[in-house]
Amino acid sequence: MRGYVLSRYGKAMELREVPKPVAGPGEVLIRVHAAGLNTIDYRSRDGAMRMITRLDLPIVAGSELSGVAEAVGTGVTRVAVGDRVCTRVDKMKLGAFAEYATVDENLVARMPDRLDFAQAAGVPLAGLAALQALRDELAVKQGDRVFISGGAGGVGTFAIQLAKWMGAEVTTTASPRGEELVKSLGADRVIDYTKQKVADVPGGYDGVLDLVGGEDLAGNFGIVKRGATVVTLVGMPEPTTARKDLGAGRALTVLFWLISAKSRRQARRHGVRYRFLFMHASGTDLELLAKLVEDGLLKVVLDRTFEFDQIADAFAYLETGRAKGKVVVKVP
Ligand SMILES: NC(=O)c1ccc[n+]([C@@H]2O[C@H](COP(=O)([O-])OP(=O)(O)OC[C@H]3O[C@@H](n4cnc5c(N)ncnc54)[C@H](OP(=O)(O)O)[C@@H]3O)[C@@H](O)[C@H]2O)c1
């Protein structure tokens, strides 16, 4: 089969002939129809994620996909041959940018009937990251005021809708290019980040989901209530990231404690909790997202789809940082 192989950090992924995988016990063999692109894919390619996920190179790259279950290994009960499925694959094993992939059945969900493969491939990573940040870290509830920086991108377009579904009032940042989109997804208030700094936004929020980092993250600490949480997907990982998200040992915990010192200090000064979430793959959470899509409560915003052999162009587009929603490649 053909797959995009990352053979060395800093080098482009190459389309190569690689062995077709075989479903082991508890695994599903998926004929891939589409794969979503994410910033983690090019950061991994560039070696920027080495501290968090040290991949066993060479590896078939790609973090999320949709397709049809072609075979199941022994003991599989959640998925049947012929099911249309989507998944955020294991972060160490990867393999979505290929014609076939094997995935642990516990990471897989049946894709919503109302979606085509390209749309379904855009759900897993961004959707799960948004859900887990809002539900597990911010514990968003009816009536909360939630601030989401970077609402127009892959994660933000899910986060706005999920926060609204949880009953929150949502403020988000976007440029004029993304304003109409974020409003259409339910944002109650839009801050034009090209004109106003986050630090100058009137405060009192019950929680912040930061998808931008840098100056925005620093500004976030001043706009939430004391005792509230700023969860970032972009800033510096901290000790809980190592322990809870990565199951790592003492060495990484200490390293993350050191590199997050500045953000934790800023948070402390405002009486706020700082948390860097590294999302986790979960078939159960993905089923919840699929149900919301099926019920018409969650839309998938696709910016552009590319052909499989145009993945370099797809990455060039994603890496501009201007995508509105998700970027996906179709696998022939
Ligand atoms: N920790 C985790 O588990 C995890 C999981 C998923 C994603 N992430 C991270 O989360 C971040 C967001 O991911 P994504 O997939 O949503 O990225 P993305 O799709 O590439 O985001 C692009 C969008 O961001 C907007 N944007 C750019 N600069 C902005 C700013 N200063 N303020 C507000 N909006 C801005 C752009 O709008 P304009 O073009 O209109 O400016 C564009 O629509 C990335 O850094 C990614 O690595 C982390």
Side-chain angles (χ1 to χ4, degrees):
M1 70 163 191
R2 294 183 311 150
Y4 279 94
V5 176
L6 177 65
S7 53
R8 191 155 40 87
Y9 289 125
K11 196 168 168 244
M13 299 159 200
E14 285 169 337
L15 188 55
R16 286 195 203 155
E17 207 52 46
V18 291
K20 182 178 167 183
V22 176
E27 285 185 336
V28 184
L29 173 69
I30 301 169
R31 170 70 175 96
V32 182
H33 284 251
L37 271 63
N38 290 279
T39 56
I40 194 172
D41 299 320
Y42 64 79
R43 290 195 178 137
S44 295
R45 178 200 65 199
D46 296 344
M49 300 299 293
R50 257 181 294 190
M51 205 164 54
I52 296 185
T53 49
R54 184 171 280 275
L55 300 170
D56 191 10
L57 303 183
I59 195 168
V60 177
S63 302
E64 63 182 349
L65 62 85
S66 65
V68 177
E70 188 168 285
V72 295
T74 53
V76 168
T77 54
R78 293 180 70 237
V79 181
V81 170
D83 282 354
R84 288 159 30 107
V85 294
C86 58
T87 174
R88 188 310 185 211
V89 302
D90 182 282
K91 65 179 180 300
M92 302 306 293
K93 200 174 148 226
L94 304 183
F97 297 151
E99 289 169 338
Y100 292 89
T102 50
V103 186
D104 186 309
E105 68 160 335
N106 293 312
L107 309 185
V108 175
R110 254 183 229 105
M111 62 180 249
D113 288 339
R114 62 162 69 204
L115 297 188
D116 61 26
F117 286 111
Q119 291 168 316
V123 175
L125 196 149
L128 291 172
L131 174 69
Q132 291 163 2
L134 295 164
R135 181 196 61 190
D136 305 339
E137 302 303 329
L138 297 182
V140 173
K141 57 184 187 320
Q142 185 72 33
D144 277 359
R145 294 180 66 227
V146 173
F147 188 89
I148 300 169
S149 63
V155 181
T157 48
F158 284 108
I160 292 168
Q161 299 179 79
L162 289 170
K164 290 302 296 177
W165 170 67
M166 292 170 186
E169 183 196 304
V170 175
T171 302
T172 192
T173 57
S175 74
R177 294 180 293 272
E179 184 179 350
E180 207 176 304
L181 171 65
V182 297
K183 279 187 176 158
S184 75
L185 298 173
D188 299 285
R189 187 155 171 251
V190 184
I191 307 284
D192 178 353
Y193 76 84
T194 65
K195 295 215 177 83
Q196 189 177 5
K197 290 185 173 173
V198 169
D200 299 332
V201 170
Y205 287 94
D206 296 292
V208 170
L209 170 54
D210 169 55
L211 304 172
V212 175
E215 204 183 305
D216 271 31
L217 175 58
N220 285 330
F221 298 118
I223 66 166
V224 279
K225 292 176 180 164
R226 284 187 84 77
T229 297
V230 170
V231 59
T232 180
L233 301 189
V234 185
M236 284 296 168
E238 36 78 36
T240 311
T241 321
R243 285 193 304 263
K244 189 172 163 192
D245 302 341
L246 302 171
R250 192 173 151 71
L252 200 63
T253 307
V254 171
L255 178 64
F256 285 1
W257 181 77
L258 288 171
I259 62 175
S260 63
K262 187 174 165 196
S263 294
R264 288 185 296 104
R265 200 169 45 243
Q266 288 169 336
R268 234 181 359 255
R269 212 177 293 142
H270 291 276
V272 169
R273 173 177 170 255
Y274 173 70
R275 172 82 166 98
F276 176 100
L277 171 72
F278 194 80
M279 61 76 59
H280 57 270
S282 160
T284 312
D285 282 355
L286 197 48
E287 274 168 3
L288 169 61
L289 294 171
K291 168 104 177 49
L292 291 175
V293 172
E294 206 56 74
D295 292 348
L297 297 168
L298 187 63
K299 274 185 270 186
V300 183
V301 180
L302 271 199
D303 182 330
R304 286 181 70 176
T305 56
F306 290 81
E307 297 303 323
F308 192 51
D309 57 6
Q310 293 176 330
I311 208 165
D313 297 334
F315 271 113
Y317 180 63
L318 184 72
E319 288 178 61
T320 62
R322 298 276 88 90
K324 301 285 170 289
K326 292 289 305 182
V327 177
V328 164
V329 288
K330 289 189 276 180
V331 183

